[in-house]
């Protein structure tokens, strides 16, 4: 059976305030044409269909059009909600839509109820695991800890129990939205770190013929059977070297996998340029970037006059301007705020702030636990709100614990 694996559409998202809806519509045209031209038997969409919990109307209309076209093609489609989606909103009408062959899986409790597909070799059980926010689903899965690995492992235990009860030779596919160890992130994914841990080992998916992952925006192979499709479009300049694709997966009678990358249309290439303003304006080798979306990093020792206006005369689609003055060997090193924070999670940034206001003394273990709990509670509250539920965030006021001031409280 032939599957088309995609994810992270982020319908409604912009790139540095440039609307991407037209490019997203072009991508969906390519998806539908690929379904017909390559005789795809089923489509897998591994989460983050929308960019936010309450998407703009134009994004909803684009999604609705895609569903109608997939249904008209009579190609079964399995979709899960991601961490950007509101699972409850996305799942509205799922029972009715299911009759059209569009299978929305947004309820964690239904993760072990597969969509059953069939070819000449027998059945294929396709399990959809929506994004599992640990603090919200740990009771459902009865895990001792609210951690990604714990809840995903519990969900996969249910999948394996269901699969064991099916006829011998039943093949299996799992859709999941998670950060799996070995994957390479980019700047455009929302942080899902819980308790200082973001990644889960690929081993949690053992026993499955193919795992269609979403969340990371670069197309990549974790193992032969565990893959990210990546986003179909670039959503940050950190993706400048990405080749945007979908996976075309042929699943053989004995569970063998053949994978092929299908390129997706990208509206403009990305370019990251670095140098003094005069260098960027005069270097003839940069002519090839004239029509690209450009992020320019200026290294002038002092800020030049009207840099954006001058750059856009040569590079009309310049979207981002960064200043990183280069100093001599004896001069101070200047780094931008974004550069200082790059690659640092919320917990680490907060701990650095505590050390800053205490003249170098960072938080102790109790305070780290308070910070970790606060971030986990806030993330769970946001996820609950996005899903339409209500969750209050408790104050960290355990007797005997030290209180860490917030940035607003620390000033003065």
């Amino acid at each position: 059976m032939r599957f088309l694996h995609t994810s992270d559409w982020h319908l409604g998202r912009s790139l540095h305030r440039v609307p991407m809806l037209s490019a997203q519509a072009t991508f969906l045209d390519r998806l539908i044409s690929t379904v017909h031209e390559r005789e795809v038997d089923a489509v897998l969409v591994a989460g983050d269909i929308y960019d936010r919990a309450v998407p703009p109307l134009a994004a909803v209309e684009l999604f609705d059009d895609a569903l109608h076209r997939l249904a008209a093609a009579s190609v079964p489609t399995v979709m899960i909600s991601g961490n950007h989606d509101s699972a409850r909103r996305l799942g509205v009408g799922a029972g009715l839509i299911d009759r059209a062959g569009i299978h929305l899986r947004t309820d964690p409790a239904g993760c072990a109820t597969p969509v059953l597909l069939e070819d000449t070799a027998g059945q294929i059980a396709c399990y959809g695991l929506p994004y599992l926010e640990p603090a919200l689903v740990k009771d459902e899965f009865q895990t001792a800890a609210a951690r990604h690995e714990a809840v995903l492992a519990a969900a996969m235990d249910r999948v394996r129990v269901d699969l064991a009860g099916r006829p011998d030779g039943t093949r299996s596919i799992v859709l999941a939205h998670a950060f799996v160890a070995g994957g390479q992130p980019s700047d455009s994914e929302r942080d899902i770190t819980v308790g200082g841990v973001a990644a889960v080992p690929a081993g949690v998916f053992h026993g499955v013929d193919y795992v269609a992952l979403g969340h990371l925006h670069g197309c990549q192979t974790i193992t032969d059977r565990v893959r990210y499709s990546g986003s179909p479009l670039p959503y940050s300049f950190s993706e400048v070297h990405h080749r945007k694709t979908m996976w075309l997966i042929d699943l053989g009678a004995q569970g063998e996998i053949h994978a092929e990358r299908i390129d997706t249309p990208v509206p403009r290439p990305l370019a990251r340029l670095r140098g003094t303003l005069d260098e960027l304006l005069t270097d003839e080798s940069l002519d090839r970037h004239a029509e690209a979306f450009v992020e320019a990093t200026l290294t002038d020792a002092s800020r030049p006059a009207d840099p954006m206006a001058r750059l856009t005369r040569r590079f009309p689609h310049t979207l981002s301007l960064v200043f990183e003055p280069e100093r001599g060997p004896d001069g101070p090193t200047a780094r931008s705020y974004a550069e200082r924070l790059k690659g640092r999670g919320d917990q680490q940034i907060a701990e650095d702030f505590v050390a800053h206001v205490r003249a170098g003394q960072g938080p102790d273990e109790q305070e780290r636990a308070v910070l970790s709990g606060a971030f986990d509670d806030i993330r769970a509250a946001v996820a609950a709100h996005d899903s339409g539920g209500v969750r209050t965030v408790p104050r960290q006021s355990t007797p005997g614990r030290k209180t860490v001031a917030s940035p607003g409280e620390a000033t003065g």
Side-chain angles (χ1 to χ4, degrees):
M1 182 169 281
R2 174 166 288 178
F3 297 89
L4 189 62
H5 167 198
T6 177
S7 73
D8 295 274
W9 296 355
H10 289 279
L11 299 181
R13 187 163 184 160
S14 299
L15 175 65
H16 286 268
R17 298 180 298 281
V18 174
M20 299 292 281
L21 205 66
S22 175
Q24 290 167 339
T26 301
F27 154 68
L28 290 172
D29 288 342
R30 172 66 58 85
L31 185 148
I32 299 298
S33 66
T34 301
V35 164
H36 291 290
E37 293 166 7
R38 301 302 300 269
E39 299 181 337
V40 170
D41 296 305
V43 174
L44 312 174
V45 187
D48 280 355
I49 291 163
Y50 292 122
D51 189 55
R52 57 181 187 262
V54 184
L57 179 58
V60 177
E61 290 174 339
L62 186 58
F63 179 55
D64 180 65
D65 178 67
L67 294 186
H68 277 83
R69 295 166 73 184
L70 287 166
S74 298
V75 174
T77 301
V78 184
M79 299 179 164
I80 61 172
S81 50
N83 61 300
H84 279 249
D85 300 308
S86 166
R88 291 185 63 181
R89 289 188 179 93
L90 186 64
V92 169
L96 288 174
I97 297 173
D98 193 82
R99 300 178 187 178
I102 308 294
H103 308 284
L104 287 168
R105 293 295 185 260
T106 62
D107 183 0
C111 66
T113 302
V115 176
L116 295 177
L117 306 173
E118 192 165 353
D119 63 8
T120 56
Q123 278 193 348
I124 299 170
C126 190
Y127 300 89
L129 277 57
Y131 172 66
L132 303 175
E133 174 59 48
L136 297 183
V137 302
K138 70 181 185 70
D139 291 338
E140 165 66 31
F141 293 108
Q142 298 180 349
T143 60
R147 295 292 182 265
H148 287 294
E149 181 176 356
V151 296
L152 261 177
M156 283 302 303
D157 285 344
R158 293 186 183 185
V159 166
R160 283 184 282 268
V161 167
D162 179 84
L163 188 58
R166 298 196 174 274
D168 291 343
T170 298
R171 290 155 291 164
S172 56
I173 288 178
V174 165
L175 286 77
H177 196 87
F179 186 174
V180 175
Q184 296 298 313
S186 61
D187 292 345
S188 54
E189 299 116 7
R190 183 182 293 169
D191 181 27
I192 59 171
T193 302
V194 174
V197 179
V200 301
V204 299
F205 299 108
H206 73 87
V208 175
D209 291 306
Y210 184 72
V211 181
L213 292 175
H215 180 58
L216 299 184
H217 288 183
C219 181
Q220 48 201 297
T221 300
I222 306 301
T223 72
D224 187 52
R225 298 185 181 276
V226 181
R227 299 171 185 261
Y228 282 100
S229 67
S231 62
L233 294 166
Y235 292 119
S236 75
F237 280 97
S238 66
E239 301 169 54
V240 64
H241 298 301
H242 286 190
R243 173 188 165 197
K244 295 300 184 180
T245 60
M246 302 175 282
W247 282 114
L248 191 69
I249 301 295
D250 287 320
L251 180 63
Q254 304 302 317
E256 59 270 32
I257 295 289
H258 178 269
E260 176 186 350
R261 292 178 70 176
I262 304 295
D263 289 299
T264 60
V266 176
R268 293 184 187 277
L270 303 184
R272 273 182 154 170
L273 309 183
R274 182 183 181 88
T276 66
L277 181 59
D278 284 344
E279 288 170 346
L280 298 188
L281 294 178
T282 59
D283 186 347
E284 294 182 358
S285 70
L286 302 181
D287 287 347
R288 67 187 187 278
H289 300 304
E291 296 304 316
F293 285 134
V294 168
E295 177 187 76
T297 299
L298 300 185
T299 60
D300 301 77
S302 59
R303 186 168 301 204
D306 299 322
M308 181 61 89
R310 294 162 68 185
L311 277 169
T312 53
R313 282 196 288 271
R314 185 178 188 192
F315 306 105
H317 306 287
T318 301
L319 303 184
S320 176
L321 186 58
V322 180
F323 294 95
E324 292 184 5
E326 289 185 350
R327 309 293 184 182
D330 299 324
T333 300
R335 293 193 302 159
S336 69
Y337 180 72
E339 185 182 6
R340 294 198 304 273
L341 297 188
K342 186 175 182 180
R344 306 175 78 81
D346 294 338
Q347 176 90 13
Q348 194 168 14
I349 292 169
E351 291 183 14
D352 288 348
F353 172 78
V354 174
H356 172 72
V357 298
R358 290 180 177 169
Q361 182 182 352
D364 60 24
E365 290 304 315
Q366 283 187 320
E367 291 169 332
R368 287 192 181 95
V370 170
L371 287 168
S372 178
F375 283 124
D376 290 351
D377 283 335
I378 290 169
R379 184 176 290 103
V382 171
H385 178 269
D386 288 350
S387 298
V390 177
R391 179 185 173 94
T392 58
V393 181
R395 293 185 61 85
Q396 297 290 340
S397 57
T398 304
R401 284 188 176 178
K402 298 179 182 178
T403 301
V404 180
S406 71
E409 294 169 338
T411 56

